[in-house]
Amino acid sequence: MSEQLIKHLTKSIEIDLDDAEKVMVFFQSVKLDKKENLMEAGQVCKANYFVVKGCLRLFFITDKGVEQTTQFAIENWWLSDYLAFQNQQTTEFYIQAVERTEVLAITFHAQERLLKEFPQMEKYFRIIYQRAYGASQVRMKYEYGFSRETLYHHFNDRFPEFIQRIPQYLLASFLGFTPEYLSEIRRKKK
Amino acid sequence: MSEQLIKHLTKSIEIDLDDAEKVMVFFQSVKLDKKENLMEAGQVCKANYFVVKGCLRLFFITDKGVEQTTQFAIENWWLSDYLAFQNQQTTEFYIQAVERTEVLAITFHAQERLLKEFPQMEKYFRIIYQRAYGASQVRMKYEYGFSRETLYHHFNDRFPEFIQRIPQYLLASFLGFTPEYLSEIRRKKK
DNA sequence: CGGATCGTTGATCAACTTCAACGGTCGTGG
DNA sequence: CCACGACCGTTGAAGTTGATCAACGATCCG
């Protein structure tokens, strides 16, 4: 559980076991059933979440009332609405468990104290955010550079094990098109 | 010039003037004419860039040979291809000056030494990346949530001063559609 | 003054959505 | 353990949105 986060920390920073255990005190374990919400639009974005086991999705509701998924997070990924988290404002996003999921949550204020007491954690989060931002740049390249159809094939080729974990309608939502169209693409490529 | 970066640092972290001047030694000033490239696809992404004055754009070339802009950076923004930067790999992006532009550049190795000697800079970059990542999340919400037409109006309303700085064909590219279609939208809304 | 670049217009075309309907499967209550 | 209902994936027809291509005018800059 928290061993997993410690292991993840040590990949990016040097921290002794003693400190690592003190760091873990700042986190709370939360367990979610499938489809259970961790965060909802209209609430203040209180915490940042590390996925220990399972899968989360970040989505919002469009003007037309459709759930639009923008991100997934699986084991060892962090997820939150980072502008709302940083400014402790209300979010317009939801975070929901795609399957039974276990996360470690750290509230904004706990994170502030953590960073003050353990400045080496600044480096850890710097690396996490840099990587996440870099990944979002690459993703933009895919979105702007590929048609929806090639976008699907690209994701299918690149993350086959992940694709199998999530229902098709969520994948369609994430890729930015309708389940019907996804069906059509799948039929073609056979 | 470097005063501007120092001023920007002090908004996020506490650093005395003496240290700040030592920090500035890690940066080089680079001046670019309009349309001059700061980085090109195929090269290793050597540096991270802080815009002192002017405007940069990040773009790539699609399969069809079209320049696709994915980001702009104006005064006080950082820009690079962060995955390629972090791993010191070749990039698939170009960075080009939209207008006459002055930047402060820090190479990957200089940044590594900087962070080692001045650990408080970890916090600065942590905040920069967190904010940039948060902004990219909000942007995804716009892209997935709005039609291309409302996307244009939204950007027009929100960043009028910026819109006026860049040519229309770059705005069209950034928003993900053709200059012809942008023309059509502008005609409608009158 | 001349050439390249940029914005505009209109016609045609492709990509993707919408809507309605159907069949399979999964989980839950009886 | 079965039966029912809800949910999910699929299909097809019709409709929209935005791309493509070609051509023209304006403007900017050398």
Side-chain angles (χ1 to χ4, degrees):
Chain A
M1 185 178 73
S2 61
E3 299 77 36
Q4 193 172 334
L5 178 51
I6 293 177
K7 198 174 164 191
H8 195 251
L9 289 180
T10 56
K11 282 186 195 161
S12 297
I13 60 171
E14 291 175 16
I15 185 167
D16 58 51
L17 265 180
D18 197 43
D19 276 355
E21 287 190 8
K22 285 182 196 151
V23 163
M24 287 308 135
V25 172
F26 290 86
F27 292 86
Q28 295 172 274
S29 173
V30 181
K31 286 176 185 168
L32 296 155
D33 282 333
K34 184 173 175 176
K35 301 224 173 187
E36 199 176 339
N37 284 342
L38 193 51
M39 186 176 93
E40 293 185 9
Q43 300 173 345
V44 171
C45 176
K46 292 183 286 287
N48 188 7
Y49 305 99
F50 176 82
V51 179
V52 174
K53 176 104 191 76
C55 179
L56 300 177
R57 71 183 179 111
L58 184 78
F59 70 95
F60 66 95
I61 310 276
T62 67
D63 301 341
K64 293 180 188 165
V66 180
E67 291 186 1
Q68 177 63 59
T69 301
T70 56
Q71 292 181 257
F72 291 101
I74 57 173
E75 287 82 5
N76 292 328
W77 278 90
W78 288 87
L79 189 64
S80 191
D81 169 354
Y82 288 101
L83 281 190
F85 176 68
Q86 181 69 357
N87 303 319
Q88 284 296 285
Q89 292 171 343
T90 60
T91 177
E92 297 176 20
F93 287 97
Y94 297 76
I95 294 181
Q96 191 178 79
V98 174
E99 54 194 46
R100 202 158 202 320
T101 300
E102 183 187 346
V103 304
L104 287 170
I106 184 164
T107 66
F108 177 72
H109 298 294
Q111 183 174 307
E112 292 233 298
R113 280 184 288 113
L114 171 65
L115 291 170
K116 200 160 233 169
E117 287 185 39
F118 298 92
Q120 65 267 51
M121 290 296 290
E122 291 282 4
K123 178 175 178 180
Y124 173 72
F125 283 110
R126 192 263 298 167
I127 291 172
I128 292 297
Y129 290 133
Q130 182 172 342
R131 185 182 301 155
Y133 183 48
S136 86
Q137 289 182 309
V138 172
R139 178 169 163 200
M140 272 190 253
K141 183 167 181 287
Y142 295 152
E143 276 169 11
Y144 282 110
F146 295 154
S147 72
R148 300 287 160 98
E149 188 173 340
T150 40
L151 196 62
Y152 166 73
H153 289 123
H154 186 264
F155 264 85
N156 231 9
D157 294 348
R158 194 165 271 227
F159 311 104
E161 70 309 325
F162 172 65
I163 300 296
Q164 290 184 340
R165 254 171 103 167
I166 59 169
Q168 271 190 45
Y169 71 98
L170 283 187
L171 178 60
S173 170
F174 173 66
L175 294 175
F177 47 67
T178 59
E180 291 94 329
Y181 187 58
L182 178 51
S183 234
E184 200 182 318
I185 293 172
R186 286 165 57 86
R187 180 173 23 149
K188 259 197 252 179
K189 196 57 174 267
K190 270 175 189 166
Chain B
M1 185 179 71
S2 60
E3 298 79 36
Q4 193 172 334
L5 178 50
I6 294 177
K7 197 175 164 191
H8 195 250
L9 290 181
T10 56
K11 280 184 196 162
S12 298
I13 59 171
E14 291 176 17
I15 185 166
D16 58 53
L17 265 180
D18 197 43
D19 277 354
E21 287 190 7
K22 285 181 195 153
V23 163
M24 287 308 135
V25 172
F26 291 87
F27 292 86
Q28 294 172 274
S29 173
V30 181
K31 285 174 185 168
L32 297 154
D33 282 333
K34 184 173 174 173
K35 300 222 174 188
E36 199 176 339
N37 284 343
L38 192 51
M39 186 176 94
E40 292 185 9
Q43 300 173 344
V44 171
C45 177
K46 292 182 286 287
N48 188 7
Y49 305 100
F50 176 81
V51 179
V52 174
K53 176 107 191 75
C55 180
L56 299 177
R57 71 184 179 108
L58 184 78
F59 70 94
F60 66 95
I61 311 276
T62 67
D63 301 341
K64 294 180 186 165
V66 180
E67 290 185 0
Q68 177 61 58
T69 302
T70 56
Q71 291 182 258
F72 292 101
I74 57 174
E75 288 81 6
N76 292 329
W77 276 89
W78 288 87
L79 190 63
S80 192
D81 170 354
Y82 288 100
L83 281 191
F85 177 68
Q86 180 69 356
N87 304 319
Q88 284 296 283
Q89 292 171 341
T90 59
T91 177
E92 296 175 22
F93 288 97
Y94 297 77
I95 294 180
Q96 191 178 80
V98 174
E99 54 194 47
R100 207 165 195 314
T101 300
E102 184 186 345
V103 304
L104 288 170
I106 184 164
T107 66
F108 177 72
H109 298 294
Q111 183 175 307
E112 292 233 299
R113 279 184 287 113
L114 170 65
L115 291 170
K116 200 160 233 170
E117 286 185 40
F118 297 92
Q120 65 267 52
M121 290 296 290
E122 290 282 7
K123 178 175 179 179
Y124 173 71
F125 283 110
R126 192 263 299 166
I127 290 171
I128 293 298
Y129 291 133
Q130 182 171 344
R131 186 182 302 157
Y133 183 47
S136 86
Q137 289 182 310
V138 171
R139 178 170 162 200
M140 272 192 254
K141 183 166 182 286
Y142 296 152
E143 276 168 11
Y144 281 109
F146 295 156
S147 73
R148 298 292 159 99
E149 188 173 340
T150 39
L151 195 62
Y152 166 73
H153 289 122
H154 185 263
F155 264 85
N156 230 10
D157 295 348
R158 194 166 271 228
F159 312 104
E161 68 309 327
F162 172 66
I163 300 295
Q164 291 184 340
R165 253 170 104 165
I166 60 169
Q168 270 189 46
Y169 71 98
L170 284 187
L171 177 61
S173 170
F174 173 66
L175 294 176
F177 46 69
T178 59
E180 291 94 328
Y181 186 58
L182 178 51
S183 234
E184 199 182 318
I185 293 173
R186 287 166 56 85
R187 181 174 20 147
K188 259 198 252 179
K189 194 60 174 261
K190 266 173 192 166

